[in-house]
Amino acid sequence: MGKGGSLSEGVIKNIIISYTYVAIWIFLSFTVIVYNKYILDKKMYDWPFPISLTMIHMSFCSTLAFLLIKVFKFVEPVSMSRDTYLRSVVPIGALYSLSLWLSNSAYIYLSVSFIQMLKALMPVAVYSIGVLFKKEGFKSETMINMLSISFGVAIAAYGEARFDVWGVILQLGAVAFEATRLVMIQILLTSKGITLNPITSLYYVAPCCLAFLFIPWIVVEFPILRDTSSFHFDYLIFGTNSFCAFALNLAVFLLVGKTSALTMNVAGVVKDWLLIAFSWSVIKDTVTPINLFGYGIAFLGVAYYNHAKLQALKAKDAQKTAQQVDEETGRLLEEREGNEGGRKNELED
């Protein structure tokens, strides 16, 4: 603090940098979602091939991740054996490929605003799967909160003007696979002391996604693309779209590194409301009062969930600090007793 209680230049600079990273992440996340919608929607660019689009993203991202890690040495690679890769990374890659495939497919059938509302179920899915795999303890209070989020999303779905059953199934499937992936990261990687940032994640996981997506692509989309003689690969559209997808992962890496994962969660809430407003005002999607009322309930539930997680982390850190202080105090007392015992022996001699 400077004179008159004002913030120092260093603090102000850090605040500006943090908010800049948040703004960049919101902008890129916003751009990728709207851009994917534009490409896949039959009323816009009309290229309804979600597997192909995801494979383009994975090819681009894995290539750039390789260059950043192996050529430019921007990020240090993680030491990993072949057995660990096959047992831990490959299953996560399979789940990630399914999550991306289904979530991109949902843009063909649902509005951007409604998809964001359905994504509010992510904490519910993560908590439920965490309890199932015994990574989370069952708590009645948390479960009631999860039910309130689900209730809010159900109301939002009831008020949806362009409700499509198949689109909802696809998006819920994407949420389920993504939640399972997040829990599996804790079980298969974090528990083994392996930590992957967004860049190293792409380096290891993106090639797996590409391999897994190749199988359904050959069966589902390749025959249609092969018979569509009018299609020509648009390097500008797909190149900029893929670059935005990679830049988003880089922004996550910078944002979490400079702030925290909780900051990203809060920024995600802001982004969701901006997307809903954009979907209504620019894309002209119908957003009903019932939509907003239901999402408002879900939003409050998610906000409370994030608050509870933050309080739990603070309590855990406080307990860890207290334990370290107790250990340090005990060590000092032992040293003091040892020194006093030494002096007593010298006096007796």
Side-chain angles (χ1 to χ4, degrees):
M1 299 290 283
K3 291 180 180 179
S6 60
L7 292 172
S8 67
E9 288 184 9
V11 173
I12 293 172
K13 185 180 178 181
N14 286 334
I15 290 171
I16 292 171
I17 290 172
S18 296
Y19 277 103
T20 301
Y21 282 129
V22 168
I24 291 170
W25 179 80
I26 288 175
F27 171 76
L28 287 171
S29 182
F30 186 98
T31 302
V32 169
I33 289 170
V34 174
Y35 210 158
N36 286 352
K37 173 67 174 176
Y38 168 75
I39 291 172
L40 295 166
D41 198 304
K42 294 178 181 178
K43 295 178 182 178
M44 298 181 190
Y45 189 76
D46 190 21
W47 200 70
F49 300 102
I51 306 176
S52 301
L53 182 63
T54 308
M55 289 179 72
I56 291 169
H57 287 174
M58 291 298 102
S59 301
F60 187 89
C61 289
S62 58
T63 302
L64 279 188
F66 176 83
L67 291 173
L68 285 176
I69 291 173
K70 291 295 186 181
V71 179
F72 299 110
K73 310 293 183 182
F74 181 73
V75 179
E76 284 293 322
V78 177
S79 178
M80 189 182 302
S81 67
R82 183 180 176 181
D83 183 63
T84 302
Y85 183 81
L86 292 174
R87 290 175 178 271
S88 302
V89 176
V90 171
I92 291 169
L95 291 166
Y96 194 37
S97 64
L98 288 167
S99 170
L100 292 172
W101 172 16
L102 296 184
S103 63
N104 280 333
S105 298
Y107 286 112
I108 300 172
Y109 305 95
L110 302 175
S111 66
V112 170
S113 57
F114 186 45
I115 285 174
Q116 300 314 119
M117 294 176 190
L118 290 174
K119 284 181 179 179
L121 287 170
M122 183 60 73
V124 180
V126 171
Y127 177 73
S128 301
I129 293 169
V131 171
L132 184 66
F133 285 96
K134 297 182 180 178
K135 295 301 293 182
E136 292 272 1
F138 179 85
K139 295 178 181 177
S140 300
E141 183 184 352
T142 305
M143 185 52 69
I144 290 170
N145 187 28
M146 296 299 108
L147 290 173
S148 71
I149 296 172
S150 304
F151 180 66
V153 173
I155 292 174
Y158 176 77
E160 175 59 23
R162 282 184 54 202
F163 187 88
D164 186 284
V165 175
W166 180 238
V168 171
I169 291 171
L170 288 171
Q171 185 55 47
L172 292 180
V175 168
F177 282 121
E178 178 63 10
T180 307
R181 182 184 76 90
L182 293 172
V183 174
M184 286 297 107
I185 286 174
Q186 294 179 31
I187 295 172
L188 299 177
L189 293 177
T190 309
S191 62
K192 297 177 182 177
I194 301 171
T195 304
L196 299 178
N197 62 50
I199 308 302
T200 50
S201 287
L202 287 176
Y203 176 75
Y204 289 108
V205 176
C208 289
C209 289
L210 201 58
F212 281 113
L213 289 168
F214 184 77
I215 300 168
W217 179 75
I218 284 289
V219 177
V220 178
E221 293 185 2
F222 176 69
I224 302 171
L225 288 167
R226 182 188 56 199
D227 297 338
T228 308
S229 57
S230 60
F231 172 70
H232 298 285
F233 191 85
D234 192 326
Y235 287 95
L236 178 62
I237 291 291
F238 294 109
T240 52
N241 178 248
S242 298
F243 181 78
C244 287
F246 180 81
L248 176 60
N249 282 278
L250 188 60
V252 171
F253 171 58
L254 294 172
L255 178 62
V256 174
K258 295 293 181 181
T259 56
S260 67
L262 183 69
T263 302
M264 198 175 78
N265 286 340
V266 174
V269 172
V270 175
K271 177 209 69 180
D272 290 344
W273 281 108
L274 288 173
L275 276 167
I276 291 169
F278 180 86
S279 177
W280 170 72
S281 61
V282 178
I283 303 178
K284 302 300 179 184
D285 286 333
T286 303
V287 180
T288 66
I290 298 176
N291 272 151
L292 294 175
F293 176 70
Y295 183 63
I297 294 173
F299 162 73
L300 291 174
V302 172
Y304 180 77
Y305 175 75
N306 285 332
H307 173 73
K309 292 288 280 187
L310 176 62
Q311 295 304 313
L313 285 172
K314 283 183 176 179
K316 189 175 180 181
D317 287 342
Q319 185 179 5
K320 188 176 180 181
T321 303
Q323 186 178 355
Q324 288 174 346
V325 170
D326 289 342
E327 289 175 357
E328 184 66 18
T329 304
R331 187 178 63 80
L332 291 171
L333 285 172
E334 286 176 4
E335 288 179 1
R336 184 178 174 183
E337 288 173 359
N339 291 335
E340 288 178 352
R343 288 198 202 99
K344 185 177 180 182
N345 291 333
E346 287 175 6
L347 290 171
E348 288 176 352
D349 291 341

